[in-house]
Amino acid sequence: MRFLFGLVVGALLVVGAAYVHDASVDPTRSPGAQTMVNWPVVSENLRGLNGWLQDRVSWLSQQLHRMG
């Protein structure tokens, strides 16, 4: 359980650090600075994952309804 908790906390720290870095980058002050993450792509991927999870939950719910 501690291991899984550590994985989740570590992942959140990495994503949080990348977000803070990208939020602080100002391309007008330092033209060579680039963001680490393409956040629109991340958002689109999360929307796709959310849709897939909703489909799976719906399918599982239908299967459980048929059994009971």
Side-chain angles (χ1 to χ4, degrees):
M1 186 67 183
R2 287 185 200 170
F3 177 74
L4 291 176
F5 180 71
L7 283 176
V8 170
V9 169
L12 290 174
L13 284 173
V14 168
V15 171
Y19 180 79
V20 168
H21 174 270
D22 286 353
S24 68
V25 169
D26 186 7
T28 59
R29 285 196 300 169
S30 51
Q34 295 180 349
T35 59
M36 292 175 30
V37 179
N38 187 349
W39 292 104
V41 172
V42 172
S43 175
E44 185 63 32
N45 289 342
L46 285 176
R47 270 191 237 115
L49 176 63
N50 188 17
W52 179 81
L53 285 173
Q54 286 177 349
D55 289 344
R56 297 285 74 179
V57 168
S58 175
W59 177 83
L60 182 60
S61 176
Q62 289 174 358
Q63 297 299 320
L64 291 174
H65 254 304
R66 289 181 186 164
M67 291 176 67

